[in-house]
């Protein structure tokens, strides 16, 4: 009759995988309770931890759940309660966590007619509300876990990529606002041919490193020559934060989604902890509040709790 779930935060782009790659976190995320009701329709009953719209049509969870209900036509309705822990606009897939959580829960409460991969399409409808584009780079890792590659949208083709067991993520979330709109506005319509070749080589290297658990190759490949140079100035102290993570032993670091969060990948929990501490040190005394997260790669995505 009801299901309580953990809706994980996600890191999109992952340096060289702009708009196509994403990974799922395990220690950062929202909680959601979805109740099956006799009254048809989808309602947002309560939201704690953030000031977000309760109007079903204005909340990504409501929009995504409605898209799935219109497909499945179940003989019930759904009441959604969201406990927000990931702030909207953090670059950690806050809207995706809600959209993915909503479709996961509705599907569960009607007997799981769709696979997690089939749910991606419906969760994307929520993302369309948040950013104007029905993108999958956060909802796919939230629903499937691990690393995911959005190989194509038409047709939708999501590839699950295995992550080495000992691969960890360090995150720093500076409490400043980077509007997705602004982060999109700095992008250019055309890209340099030579840079495109470098980016392609690094993306292929990263994917290969993930499959073969080659940590050195993962580190050598974590470079973004296309987008990071255009966006770095939107995040105060970005180059120092990144350098601190690398100096502390991280394999690589970059902007999480469209920022302001910065992620670093590391071999092992301890190394990730050191990277997180080093990144935090950069913001100490700057007057910018922040929070840090250290997580393994969540292999399953959304979890029933
Ligand atoms: P992030 O980069 O952290 O994923 P987004 O920019 O994708 O954040 O999404 C935030 C936008 O989505 C905000 O405008 C917010 O008001 C809107 N929104 C609507 N419903 C939700 C929800 N349930 N959770 C988070 N954001 C939501």
């Amino acid at each position: 009759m009801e299901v309580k779930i953990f809706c994980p935060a996600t890191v999109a782009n992952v340096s060289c995988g702009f708009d196509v790659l994403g990974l799922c976190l395990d220690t950062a995320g929202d909680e959601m309770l979805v109740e099956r009701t006799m009254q048809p329709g989808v309602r947002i009953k309560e939201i704690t931890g953030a000031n977000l719209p309760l109007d079903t049509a204005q909340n990504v969870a409501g929009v995504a759940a409605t898209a799935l209900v219109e497909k499945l036509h179940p003989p019930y309705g759904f009441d959604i309660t969201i406990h927000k822990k990931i702030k909207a606009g953090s670059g950690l897939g806050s809207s995706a966590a809600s959209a993915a959580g909503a479709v996961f829960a509705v599907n569960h409460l009607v007997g799981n007619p769709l696979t997690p991969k089939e749910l991606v399409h419906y969760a994307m409808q929520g993302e369309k509300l948040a950013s104007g584009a029905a993108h999958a780079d956060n909802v796919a890792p939230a629903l499937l876990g691990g690393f995911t590659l959005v190989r194509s949208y038409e047709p939708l083709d999501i590839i699950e990529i295995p992550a080495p067991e000992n691969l960890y993520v360090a995150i720093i979330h500076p409490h400043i606002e980077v509007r997705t709109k602004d982060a999109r506005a700095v992008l250019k319509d055309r890209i340099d041919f030579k840079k495109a070749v470098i980016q392609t080589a690094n993306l292929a290297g990263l994917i290969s490193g993930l499959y073969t658990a080659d940590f050195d190759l993962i580190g050598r490949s974590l470079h973004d020559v296309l987008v990071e140079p255009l966006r770095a100035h939107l995040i105060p102290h970005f180059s120092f934060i990144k350098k601190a993570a690398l100096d502390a032993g991280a394999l690589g670091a970059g902007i999480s989604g469209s920022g302001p969060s910065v992620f670093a990948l590391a071999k092992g929990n301890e190394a990730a902890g050191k990277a997180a501490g080093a990144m935090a040190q950069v913001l100490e005394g700057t007057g910018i509040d922040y929070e840090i997260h250290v997580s393994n790669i969540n292999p399953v995505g959304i979890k029933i709790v």
Side-chain angles (χ1 to χ4, degrees):
M1 292 296 281
E2 63 173 49
V3 65
K4 197 173 166 195
I5 54 175
F6 168 73
C7 309
T10 45
V11 173
N13 299 341
V14 201
S15 290
C16 48
F18 180 68
D19 266 4
V20 297
L21 217 56
L23 66 82
C24 189
L25 299 177
D26 211 9
T27 59
D30 297 341
E31 270 185 19
M32 185 183 274
L33 174 73
V34 180
E35 297 158 273
R36 215 172 75 182
T37 64
M38 292 321 291
Q39 188 192 351
V42 175
R43 289 155 299 273
I44 311 291
K45 199 169 150 187
E46 191 192 355
I47 300 173
T48 65
N51 188 13
L52 290 165
L54 286 169
D55 179 355
T56 304
Q58 294 304 318
N59 193 297
V60 299
V63 170
T66 302
L68 184 59
V69 163
E70 282 169 1
K71 155 84 179 165
L72 298 175
H73 295 294
Y76 344 92
F78 303 91
D79 283 355
I80 302 176
T81 301
I82 308 170
H83 300 294
K84 272 277 155 201
K85 301 205 169 119
I86 328 162
K87 286 194 183 67
S90 58
L92 293 173
S94 173
S95 53
S98 288
V103 296
F104 177 97
V106 167
N107 190 50
H108 176 84
L109 291 171
V110 299
N112 288 317
L114 299 190
T115 64
K117 210 179 247 188
E118 288 169 334
L119 291 176
V120 171
H121 167 79
Y122 301 93
M124 282 165 57
Q125 308 316 309
E127 288 291 66
K128 199 169 174 182
L129 172 74
S131 68
H135 63 97
D137 47 350
N138 288 105
V139 291
L143 281 163
L144 301 169
F147 278 74
T148 57
L149 170 74
V150 186
R151 195 208 54 82
S152 149
Y153 279 100
E154 281 180 20
L156 187 61
D157 189 8
I158 309 285
I159 315 297
E160 295 176 71
I161 296 155
E165 227 170 68
N166 209 18
L167 188 61
Y168 278 73
V169 192
I171 305 269
I172 185 159
H173 170 202
H175 292 176
I176 55 153
E177 191 186 0
V178 173
R179 287 190 299 177
T180 309
K181 220 172 107 200
D182 296 341
R184 283 269 160 194
V186 299
L187 301 181
K188 299 207 165 94
D189 287 341
R190 292 172 177 275
I191 56 169
D192 182 79
F193 190 81
K194 284 184 188 142
K195 286 184 182 162
V197 172
I198 296 170
Q199 195 89 345
T200 309
N202 279 325
L203 180 55
L206 175 57
I207 302 289
S208 179
L210 290 169
Y211 269 98
T212 56
D214 183 337
F215 287 92
D216 282 344
L217 176 57
I218 291 170
R220 293 203 301 283
S221 306
L222 275 173
H223 298 288
D224 171 8
V225 296
L226 292 182
V227 177
E228 188 179 294
L230 302 174
R231 286 184 169 173
H233 71 278
L234 297 172
I235 302 168
H237 313 288
F238 172 76
S239 58
F240 294 105
I241 295 172
K242 179 172 174 173
K243 185 175 184 305
L246 297 176
D247 288 349
L251 303 165
I255 301 169
S256 177
S258 55
S261 291
V262 177
F263 79 96
L265 295 186
K267 185 177 181 180
N269 193 14
E270 203 185 319
K274 275 190 190 151
M279 292 195 288
Q281 208 52 46
V282 175
L283 290 188
E284 275 304 315
T286 62
I288 300 173
D289 286 338
Y290 60 85
E291 61 201 273
I292 54 174
H293 305 279
V294 175
S295 177
N296 58 324
I297 308 281
N298 169 349
V300 296
I302 295 168
K303 289 176 193 170
I304 297 174
V305 292

